[in-house]
């Protein structure tokens, strides 16, 4: 059997660990041949395929990013996209795919599976918003990066007695903001699942100043005020119809400063959360996902996604995993409100 591997969507730490796990076990245990599709679904459209074997995956475990490249390409937005993907697989004698991606990449995989393409999904995203799995790899590393940034910002905030607003990633879900905010001792945490009251935010900020401490506000990029207006720098859309989020942090700092009469600054962590060496947990989880994904290929259990459930790796239908976005439970958010202000 010849198996193709691709990584799609935003890069994240741990992608290379999955590729390594898939190839090592596939070659050593099952005698499979492998190729990599360059730059996600773009490679499938353009026929950009490269050899993939054990020597090519040596030494990649601790590396961030992906040796195969990635893109936010949606083949169904391109003319004859389905047939072009099918032609690429046929031309290179690819029998099955291991698709490593988040909600958008796996959404394409779900649709292609319905059209008869044999594939298995692996959930990756720093946002941790793929349903069916307790955690996605990449999330733990992103939380660690954001937490370290918040820890560092506490000292400069208190030195100048100013509010520091930390904008983290999170389009529709606030997992990074909530985890990093609590781990970093933030005084306000704002997530997309809970529209916020700017007056309440300012009250929490003022409460902090009253006890002679400088506030840290952590906000997910997709958080919105109760009025429902999303704060954006531009309206550019990608091929999945998503706007390029950014701007809520600057808006918050300006509002806090104007309403409280105190200084407020913004730090946007942005892509720094995606890059660099994966954490030990993400290496461990990504490796397990890779091993179990190639097992699913060997079993012919296509149209499924490997997932972490408690401490075990299971398989769930791709259609189920991509049917909705996994968001923060309101009850979980409410647990931590005692620390606000």
């Amino acid at each position: 059997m010849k198996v193709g591997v691709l990584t799609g969507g935003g890069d994240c730490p741990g992608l290379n660990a999955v590729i390594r796990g898939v190839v090592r076990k596939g070659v050593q245990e099952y005698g499979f041949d492998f190729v990599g599709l360059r730059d996600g679904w773009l490679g499938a459209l353009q026929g950009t395929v490269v050899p993939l074997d054990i020597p090519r995956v040596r030494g990649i475990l601790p590396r961030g990013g992906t040796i195969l490249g990635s893109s936010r390409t949606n083949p169904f937005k391109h003319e004859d996209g389905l047939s072009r993907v099918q032609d690429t697989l046929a031309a290179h004698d690819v029998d099955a795919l291991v698709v490593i991606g988040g909600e958008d990449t796996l959404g394409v995989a779900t649709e292609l599976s319905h059209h008869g393409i044999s594939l298995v999904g692996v959930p990756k995203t720093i946002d941790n918003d793929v349903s069916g799995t307790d955690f996605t790899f990449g999330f733990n590393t992103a939380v660690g990066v954001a937490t370290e940034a918040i820890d560092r910002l506490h000292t400069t905030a208190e030195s100048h007695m100013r509010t520091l607003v930390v904008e983290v990633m999170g389009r529709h879900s606030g997992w990074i903001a909530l985890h990093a905010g609590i781990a970093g001792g933030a005084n306000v945490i704002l997530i997309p699942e809970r529209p916020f009251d700017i007056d309440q935010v300012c009250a929490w900020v003022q409460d902090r100043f009253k006890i002679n401490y400088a506030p840290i506000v952590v906000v997910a990029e997709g958080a919105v005020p109760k009025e429902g207006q999303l704060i954006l720098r531009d309206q550019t859309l990608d091929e999945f119809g998503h706007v390029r989020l950014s701007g809520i942090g600057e808006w918050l700092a300006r509002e806090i400063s104007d309403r409280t009469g105190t200084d407020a600054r913004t730090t946007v962590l942005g892509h720094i959360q995606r890059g660099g060496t994966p954490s030990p947990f993400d290496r461990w989880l990504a490796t397990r996902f890779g091993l179990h994904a190639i097992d699913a290929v060997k079993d012919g259990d296509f149209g499924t996604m490997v997932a972490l459930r408690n401490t075990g790796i299971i398989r769930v239908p791709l259609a189920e995993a991509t049917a909705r976005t996994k968001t923060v439970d309101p009850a979980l958010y409410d647990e931590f409100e005692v620390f606000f202000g």
Side-chain angles (χ1 to χ4, degrees):
M1 177 177 277
K2 182 181 281 189
V3 181
V5 182
L6 69 83
T7 53
D11 67 297
C12 81
L15 286 167
N16 288 323
V18 180
I19 297 169
R20 173 178 174 270
V22 166
V23 173
R24 284 285 298 270
K25 188 167 189 177
V27 172
Q28 293 176 198
E29 298 289 328
Y30 303 134
F32 291 164
D33 295 319
F34 288 90
V35 293
L37 279 66
R38 288 286 308 173
D39 303 324
W41 294 119
L42 183 62
L45 288 174
Q46 297 180 343
T48 313
V49 176
V50 297
L52 196 58
D53 54 21
I54 288 179
R56 286 178 172 83
V57 301
R58 287 198 180 111
I60 68 173
L61 176 65
R63 287 174 55 182
T66 165
I67 62 169
L68 295 177
S70 190
S71 70
R72 294 188 182 278
T73 302
N74 183 349
F76 292 103
K77 294 294 185 180
H78 293 255
E79 185 175 357
D80 299 324
L82 173 60
S83 62
R84 289 166 63 185
V85 171
Q86 292 171 326
D87 290 346
T88 294
L89 300 182
H92 295 273
D93 299 318
V94 175
D95 300 299
L97 285 176
V98 173
V99 179
I100 310 166
E103 57 175 339
D104 294 327
T105 300
L106 294 179
V108 169
T110 302
E111 188 63 26
L112 290 174
S113 179
H114 293 158
H115 287 280
I117 294 179
S118 299
L119 53 82
V120 172
V122 177
K124 71 89 207 171
T125 170
I126 66 169
D127 290 332
N128 195 41
D129 60 358
V130 176
S131 295
T133 184
D134 291 347
F135 289 101
T136 56
F137 69 88
F139 171 68
N140 182 267
T141 304
V143 169
V145 170
T147 301
E148 181 180 356
I150 295 167
D151 286 346
R152 292 175 178 273
L153 290 169
H154 271 291
T155 56
T156 189
E158 291 173 6
S159 295
H160 295 275
M161 286 308 291
R162 62 164 61 116
T163 301
L164 285 183
V165 177
V166 186
E167 183 182 311
V168 300
M169 286 185 168
R171 179 184 301 277
H172 301 299
S173 59
W175 293 106
I176 294 176
L178 186 62
H179 280 245
I182 292 302
N187 311 111
V188 181
I189 301 171
L190 306 176
I191 61 176
E193 295 88 340
R194 181 72 63 86
F196 62 85
D197 182 339
I198 186 60
D199 291 328
Q200 178 63 72
V201 171
C202 290
W204 283 327
V205 165
Q206 289 175 314
D207 286 344
R208 191 69 174 171
F209 279 123
K210 287 176 183 176
I211 57 173
N212 208 32
Y213 280 96
I216 298 288
V217 177
V218 174
V219 57
E221 61 188 346
V224 294
K226 281 190 174 178
E227 292 75 14
Q229 180 184 1
L230 192 62
I231 310 301
L232 304 171
R233 282 183 174 172
D234 64 55
Q235 299 291 329
T236 308
L237 302 180
D238 65 19
E239 291 189 3
F240 293 94
H242 299 315
V243 294
R244 295 178 180 177
L245 295 179
S246 189
I248 184 64
E250 292 180 4
W251 181 86
L252 265 172
R254 187 168 58 250
E255 289 294 314
I256 290 170
S257 182
D258 290 346
R259 291 167 181 255
T260 66
T262 59
D263 192 17
R265 305 290 178 88
T266 304
T267 298
V268 180
L269 296 186
H271 288 84
I272 223 172
Q273 297 157 93
R274 291 194 181 281
T277 300
S279 68
F281 177 82
D282 278 339
R283 298 185 204 188
W284 175 87
L285 179 59
T287 298
R288 292 189 74 197
F289 277 164
L291 298 175
H292 283 264
I294 202 61
D295 285 345
V297 171
K298 175 64 167 59
D299 294 342
D301 196 4
F302 300 119
T304 60
M305 182 190 82
V306 293
L308 178 68
R309 190 70 55 84
N310 296 320
T311 59
I313 306 295
I314 65 169
R315 301 171 192 169
V316 298
L318 259 174
E320 174 187 315
T322 58
R324 63 180 183 85
T325 299
K326 184 177 71 177
T327 55
V328 174
D329 186 334
L332 180 62
Y333 182 79
D334 290 342
E335 282 184 24
F336 300 109
E337 283 192 317
V338 66
F339 295 111
F340 294 178

